Amino acid sequence: MKRALLVSFVFLLLSARGFSQQNLKLWYDKPADNWNEALPIGNGRLGAMVFGQPAKEQLQLNEETIWAGEPGNNVPKNVYPQIEEIRKLLFAGKNKEAQELSNQIFPRQAPDNLNYGMPYQTAGSLWFEFKGHDQYTDYYRDLNIGNALTSVSYKVGNISYKREVFTSIPDNAIFIKLSASKKGSLSFSIKASSPQVKSNFKAVGNKLYFEGTSGSVDNKIGKVKYVGIAQCTLNGGKLSTSAEQLEVSNADEVIIRVAIATNFKSYRDISANAMEKAEDILQRASVISYDLAKQKHVQAYQNYYNRVQLNLGKSAQSAKTTDQRIKEFATHHDPELLALYFQFGRYLLISSSQPGTQPANLQGIWNDKLSPPWDSKYTVNINTEMNYWPAEITNLSELHQPLFSMLQDLAETGKESAREMYRARGWNMHHNTDLWRITGVVDGGFYGMWPMGGAWLTQHLWQHYLYTGNKDFLNDYYPILKGAALFYLDVLQEEPTHKWLVVAPSMSPENSYEPGVGISAGTTMDNQLVFDVFNNLIDAARVLKVDANFADSVSNALKRLPPMQIGKYGQLQEWLQDKDKPNDHHRHISHLYGLYPSGQISPFKQPELTKAAENTLISRGDKSTGWSMGWKVNWWARLLDGNRAYKLIKDQLSPAPTETKGQSGGTYPNLLDAHPPFQIDGNFGCTSGIAEMLVQSYDGDIFILPALPDELANGSVSGLKTRGGFEVAMSWENGELKTLKVKSTLGGNCRLRLTANLNLQGAVNLHPAQGENKNPFFKVNKIKSPLKSEEAEIIANTYKATKLLDFETVAGKEYIFNVK
Ligand code: FUC
């Protein structure tokens, strides 16, 4: 019996793999007309957008350290007395005056002696011009996310032309192969261009150099020097050069290798030699054959990518081009597009965030401008965090590392803002940072007076520990957690009414309770963030057996944080006072941080609070910016409403508006998320949301299929991770679990939550769970009972009955179950 089970399980996994591999392509029958149709490739450090135009191919290029400006923070001097003044005004109920003073000390535009962060900038483009290729037939281009290769093919006359491009992870270069069905038919020129003010181009031998210096913005001079080199190797034919271009005539096949490097060493050191670095990379890449480089790249990519398989079923839609499928997704059942979209999020993380690189910014690494929207920086009041939501649950844990490295920098630079602005120990940052790790206020008092960026980002450290159990990691990063806790210990103020400890001044990101007034004391999100910062510190100190006294003082402060509150409309209150507006459709719903990504609100432990969160979510409406809808998918998953989560995915996976600005997101033809304009967070948010619909592990257990929508009644998934280092594979039919495999990497008790009518059969002692989960990775922090307005009417939801089952696991073992 067991054997039969195993065989059927293996078959299932194999078929899932075979199945999904056929459908891992974005494909089109015409070239990209604009950037939002071009296809992104990247290795974490280098990015390219491939347009696929037959007569004039464009590769728009990025290198992740080409940012405007130079080292240096943006912390204003001598603002502490005014911060104190703002506090007093807030506690006296003079909020408008507090906002005015905040706007005055932190003006909307950067003052002359400061900056509001630097923009991430493009490295320019390479152009391949093929005379006579304007008329073509049999056009096809794709991006295969199963192996991270993009290709273009078409015919001119009876000759077939093919291009293949990839950005190698191991060899750190872009490889391009141009071929044709008939020998001697490749004739074209290669040029480079750049919008940078300081740039130059020269062709020497078989190399085209494109160099430049990044731009100057606000009080910073552009000092990032970059050197790009495209090296052309011919099979047959002839290569010639003119001043600024390479000319290929009658070649059989051409390989082009592109290296780009900068003088960047770290956020405070730009003394590297860009030319030497670029030549060195190219030299190494040029001794590897194209085929070997391709093989190495695919292997390195698949090492990450292949860990998760998702099969949601087939439909005839897959015969259509990707842009067409996006147009029809809301009306035509297309589960394969959903699986592709999920995997595309993983593809983007693998391609924009590799160990040792910069973290993925607002556009990952893909940007064709000098002044991209919001500078393509790191906005940390939601966007940067969202980029990393898929990292653990979709089994890409190592790719979280660039965010952790950035935190190491910020924990240094953020000491200055903590000290100068708040006279506090530890470190902090506000709602933006950049390559130079600024930590001061950006965009003025209304948007930027939010000293909570570090509180949110450090959650990623603790969550990484909960997923991996890596104590060395925790030990290394403990000082950063401690620095965040120290900051809030010093900054918390006693508010006059309840004597709770609150952060002041701050705000509920970007929202206002009166026109133009958002500045606050003790917003719900701040309270939730500090709750998590303090609990993480206490738990980390306990795991590492350090700082018992310090943990005690943190624990004392923790007890004095405000509880969550249910306001008069039955909503989760956003501010300390019940000032929420019932018709507020603001994109930020920051106080639902407690529901997701944090785990402070659970349908099973706090049904009323959960209902209040749901009321808030409903009143905010569905349609919003891309990232807001991505967040909503995760919230509806946590609210155990798979159908509503799926509805939000449909809103997101519909054609992006043609407007380049606005509040109603969607998806561009290249499957990238529209804020609009393009912003990558929505892709990552939806990817993690889809995973949260299938498995959740924040509430003391592993909830199997918590939010499966009716439209995805059959499917299978493997490789999803949970806290406690478990890896889950499962299949379901008619909306019910069929098979389940749990792999334990850390051992310990495994507590499963599943629908009550299911009985699992497996070769372990599976018994009804009792008491709290004794596996420490599943500890649930007790929140205070919420306060409830007398006017609030709350009728908690009834959820499908579930049961909890425990079994003991051994590290390295797999546990296979079938449903009886
Ligand atoms: C925050 C959001 C905007 C945008 C920007 C990058 O300011 O409110 O919608 O996503 O970040």
Side-chain angles (χ1 to χ4, degrees):
M1 178 64 191
K2 247 199 296 180
R3 215 193 117 124
L5 272 182
L6 190 70
V7 170
S8 64
F9 202 85
V10 169
F11 171 74
L12 189 121
L13 287 186
L14 287 178
S15 53
R17 179 173 293 229
F19 173 80
S20 50
Q21 265 169 10
Q22 293 161 24
N23 294 286
L24 296 172
K25 287 180 182 169
L26 289 73
W27 73 276
Y28 308 83
D29 56 8
K30 51 184 183 313
D33 261 345
N34 58 62
W35 199 90
N36 294 322
E37 293 178 0
L39 295 171
I41 53 170
N43 67 354
R45 211 176 70 71
L46 291 180
M49 295 296 284
V50 183
F51 283 65
Q53 288 284 355
K56 196 169 182 186
E57 176 63 281
Q58 180 183 4
L59 253 69
Q60 185 267 311
L61 301 171
N62 287 101
E63 198 281 349
E64 59 164 2
T65 60
I66 304 178
W67 289 65
E70 58 187 316
N73 205 341
N74 68 339
V75 176
K77 298 276 175 224
N78 307 322
V79 292
Y80 181 73
Q82 282 125 313
I83 299 240
E84 284 254 273
E85 185 57 33
I86 295 174
R87 278 178 186 154
K88 283 190 196 135
L89 289 168
L90 283 171
F91 291 140
K94 297 183 174 167
N95 297 11
K96 206 160 173 265
E97 290 83 345
Q99 185 70 67
E100 277 162 13
L101 182 54
S102 173
N103 296 352
Q104 193 188 315
I105 24 171
F106 306 113
R108 184 69 181 86
Q109 303 302 328
D112 290 347
N113 60 348
L114 270 189
N115 70 83
Y116 281 171
M118 293 296 116
Y120 174 56
Q121 301 190 317
T122 177
S125 288
L126 281 177
W127 301 89
F128 303 77
E129 260 187 79
F130 293 77
K131 290 214 174 72
H133 286 212
D134 303 289
Q135 302 297 322
Y136 51 84
T137 58
D138 301 282
Y139 186 88
Y140 171 88
R141 72 185 165 108
D142 70 9
L143 169 63
N144 185 341
I145 62 161
N147 56 16
L149 298 173
T150 180
S151 76
V152 183
S153 59
Y154 59 91
K155 268 181 162 180
V156 175
N158 56 8
I159 304 176
S160 305
Y161 291 89
K162 189 165 184 219
R163 302 170 188 165
E164 188 174 66
V165 193
F166 64 92
T167 307
S168 164
I169 297 172
D171 292 314
N172 203 3
I174 299 170
F175 288 77
I176 306 157
K177 177 171 153 181
L178 306 173
S179 53
S181 59
K182 189 173 160 225
K183 285 199 163 195
S185 349
L186 287 170
S187 297
F188 61 98
S189 65
I190 314 177
K191 271 196 276 210
S193 70
S194 166
Q196 288 287 5
V197 182
K198 291 184 187 167
S199 60
N200 68 75
F201 312 95
K202 61 173 190 261
V204 183
N206 65 351
K207 293 176 181 168
L208 176 69
Y209 290 81
F210 49 104
E211 300 171 43
T213 307
S214 70
S216 302
V217 176
D218 294 341
N219 70 338
K220 284 189 171 182
I221 310 288
K223 291 188 181 160
V224 176
K225 292 201 163 63
Y226 67 88
V227 173
I229 314 173
Q231 184 193 47
C232 200
T233 309
L234 271 55
N235 203 337
K238 204 177 122 235
L239 181 75
S240 56
T241 56
S242 65
E244 294 188 357
Q245 74 179 45
L246 299 176
E247 200 70 59
V248 175
S249 330
N250 308 112
D252 305 337
E253 183 186 274
V254 180
I255 308 293
I256 297 142
R257 295 170 174 84
V258 185
I260 312 176
T262 74
N263 58 348
F264 180 86
K265 278 186 164 172
S266 76
Y267 72 93
R268 54 185 168 192
D269 182 357
I270 46 171
S271 65
N273 184 322
M275 181 63 85
E276 272 174 21
K277 270 165 76 181
E279 292 281 15
D280 182 56
I281 296 168
L282 196 62
Q283 162 58 27
R284 290 162 197 267
S286 64
V287 295
I288 309 164
S289 72
Y290 180 85
D291 287 342
L292 180 61
K294 178 170 157 181
Q295 195 191 321
K296 283 171 70 189
H297 164 67
V298 171
Q299 206 176 2
Y301 171 78
Q302 290 183 340
N303 169 38
Y304 297 109
Y305 183 80
N306 285 353
R307 293 172 189 175
V308 175
Q309 309 287 331
L310 177 64
N311 172 5
L312 298 172
K314 280 177 184 253
S315 91
Q317 286 298 95
S318 61
K320 298 181 182 167
T321 58
T322 304
D323 47 338
Q324 193 60 29
R325 289 169 76 183
I326 296 169
K327 282 185 196 147
E328 294 174 1
F329 184 73
T331 49
H332 293 58
H333 184 57
D334 190 357
E336 285 170 288
L337 183 64
L338 185 66
L340 179 73
Y341 187 63
F342 166 81
Q343 293 288 25
F344 185 60
R346 298 183 66 244
Y347 166 85
L348 292 174
L349 197 64
I350 303 169
S351 308
S352 64
S353 183
Q354 283 284 317
T357 68
Q358 296 297 316
N361 64 42
L362 281 176
Q363 298 186 182
I365 41 170
W366 297 280
N367 161 43
D368 63 340
K369 300 189 170 55
L370 297 183
S371 295
W374 293 282
D375 294 335
S376 195
K377 292 198 287 275
Y378 299 100
T379 309
V380 302
N381 63 10
I382 171 64
N383 318 83
T384 306
E385 288 86 355
M386 186 175 276
N387 285 1
Y388 285 88
W389 288 351
E392 301 295 335
I393 191 169
T394 80
N395 213 334
L396 299 171
S397 188
E398 306 94 312
L399 307 186
H400 223 154
Q401 188 269 337
L403 188 72
F404 306 149
S405 297
M406 178 163 85
L407 272 165
Q408 266 163 340
D409 301 343
L410 290 165
E412 280 306 313
T413 57
K415 284 179 187 161
E416 189 187 344
S417 41
R419 189 179 60 236
E420 292 289 325
M421 295 177 64
Y422 302 95
R423 296 206 184 146
R425 294 169 295 169
W427 69 278
N428 96 310
M429 64 184 297
H430 295 82
H431 90 303
N432 268 246
T433 192
D434 61 9
L435 184 72
W436 315 112
R437 310 314 191 215
I438 56 159
T439 61
V441 167
V442 162
D443 294 342
F446 181 78
Y447 293 102
M449 178 24 84
W450 185 72
M452 309 303 295
W456 195 345
L457 283 174
T458 52
Q459 301 310 317
H460 287 251
L461 298 171
W462 180 248
Q463 293 301 322
H464 179 72
Y465 170 70
L466 291 184
Y467 274 88
T468 61
N470 185 342
K471 269 196 202 170
D472 292 337
F473 168 84
L474 189 62
N475 191 49
D476 290 348
Y477 285 85
Y478 176 77
I480 301 179
L481 297 177
K482 186 174 178 184
L486 265 175
F487 174 75
Y488 292 105
L489 267 191
D490 286 359
V491 147
L492 288 176
Q493 305 289 312
E494 188 181 84
E495 55 81 35
T497 318
H498 304 88
K499 314 282 180 214
W500 290 323
L501 293 182
V502 298
V503 181
S506 184
M507 66 188 302
S508 193
E510 308 194 26
N511 203 0
S512 55
Y513 44 83
E514 277 168 35
V517 186
I519 198 157
S520 323
T523 73
T524 299
M525 184 202 218
D526 285 2
N527 308 333
Q528 294 167 342
L529 282 168
V530 178
F531 177 86
D532 280 347
V533 167
F534 284 176
N535 274 301
N536 297 349
L537 183 284
I538 295 166
D539 289 344
R542 189 184 316 121
V543 172
L544 298 171
K545 301 195 176 62
V546 294
D547 276 347
N549 289 341
F550 178 64
D552 278 348
S553 32
V554 169
S555 183
N556 289 334
L558 175 68
K559 291 185 194 119
R560 298 190 55 198
L561 297 177
M564 282 186 252
Q565 303 184 69
I566 299 172
K568 57 176 178 287
Y569 304 111
Q571 88 282 15
L572 178 67
Q573 233 173 264
E574 182 160 6
W575 290 280
L576 205 60
Q577 295 82 24
D578 195 353
K579 294 184 284 201
D580 301 34
K581 296 163 283 189
N583 55 354
D584 183 359
H585 289 160
H586 202 274
R587 60 195 179 281
H588 287 266
I589 321 177
S590 305
H591 46 316
L592 295 198
Y593 162 85
L595 177 65
Y596 184 89
S598 186
Q600 298 171 37
I601 302 174
S602 121
F604 301 103
K605 297 195 172 65
Q606 297 94 14
E608 281 206 335
L609 202 54
T610 304
K611 186 67 193 178
E614 186 176 305
N615 288 341
T616 294
L617 189 54
I618 291 170
S619 75
R620 285 290 170 97
D622 289 352
K623 270 275 189 190
S624 191
T625 59
W627 61 258
S628 182
M629 293 197 282
W631 204 347
K632 286 169 187 168
V633 176
N634 291 273
W635 283 322
W636 283 113
R638 286 277 172 101
L639 291 168
L640 311 182
D641 190 337
N643 288 335
R644 190 69 179 257
Y646 197 55
K647 194 260 171 192
L648 260 303
I649 295 173
K650 283 184 180 169
D651 289 343
Q652 173 65 357
L653 200 36
S654 62
T658 43
E659 291 79 31
T660 50
K661 275 189 177 164
Q663 301 284 322
S664 58
T667 299
Y668 291 110
N670 59 10
L671 223 50
L672 287 172
D673 159 55
H675 177 288
F678 161 52
Q679 201 168 285
I680 207 163
D681 37 25
N683 286 100
F684 293 130
C686 279
T687 293
S688 80
I690 294 164
E692 285 279 328
M693 288 159 78
L694 302 175
V695 66
Q696 294 175 12
S697 64
Y698 74 98
D699 198 24
D701 52 59
I702 300 176
F703 194 167
I704 301 296
L705 298 179
L708 195 64
D710 296 340
E711 286 181 70
L712 301 177
N714 301 297
S716 64
V717 70
S718 62
L720 292 181
K721 293 288 263 192
T722 76
R723 291 168 182 80
F726 295 105
E727 190 173 311
V728 173
M730 60 190 161
S731 65
W732 59 95
E733 268 175 37
N734 302 321
E736 293 278 25
L737 184 71
K738 273 316 269 184
T739 58
L740 173 69
K741 182 170 80 170
V742 178
K743 186 176 166 192
S744 167
T745 57
L746 303 171
N749 184 54
C750 180
R751 176 167 294 181
L752 299 173
R753 183 186 284 274
L754 63 162
T755 322
N757 61 348
L758 297 180
N759 284 316
L760 286 188
Q761 187 184 29
V764 289
N765 174 19
L766 199 61
H767 51 276
Q770 263 169 10
E772 282 181 11
N773 190 344
K774 58 184 193 302
N775 186 326
F777 298 108
F778 288 84
K779 173 174 171 262
V780 178
N781 295 320
K782 276 220 160 45
I783 61 160
K784 284 187 181 169
S785 302
L787 297 184
K788 193 165 128 189
S789 156
E790 281 170 8
E791 293 166 59
E793 279 175 37
I794 291 263
I795 302 167
N797 291 338
T798 8
Y799 297 97
K800 227 189 209 177
T802 59
K803 65 180 168 199
L804 293 171
L805 298 170
D806 274 2
F807 66 101
E808 205 41 48
T809 70
V810 174
K813 284 219 160 171
E814 287 183 353
Y815 301 87
I816 295 175
F817 303 96
N818 213 348
V819 173
K820 255 201 305 211

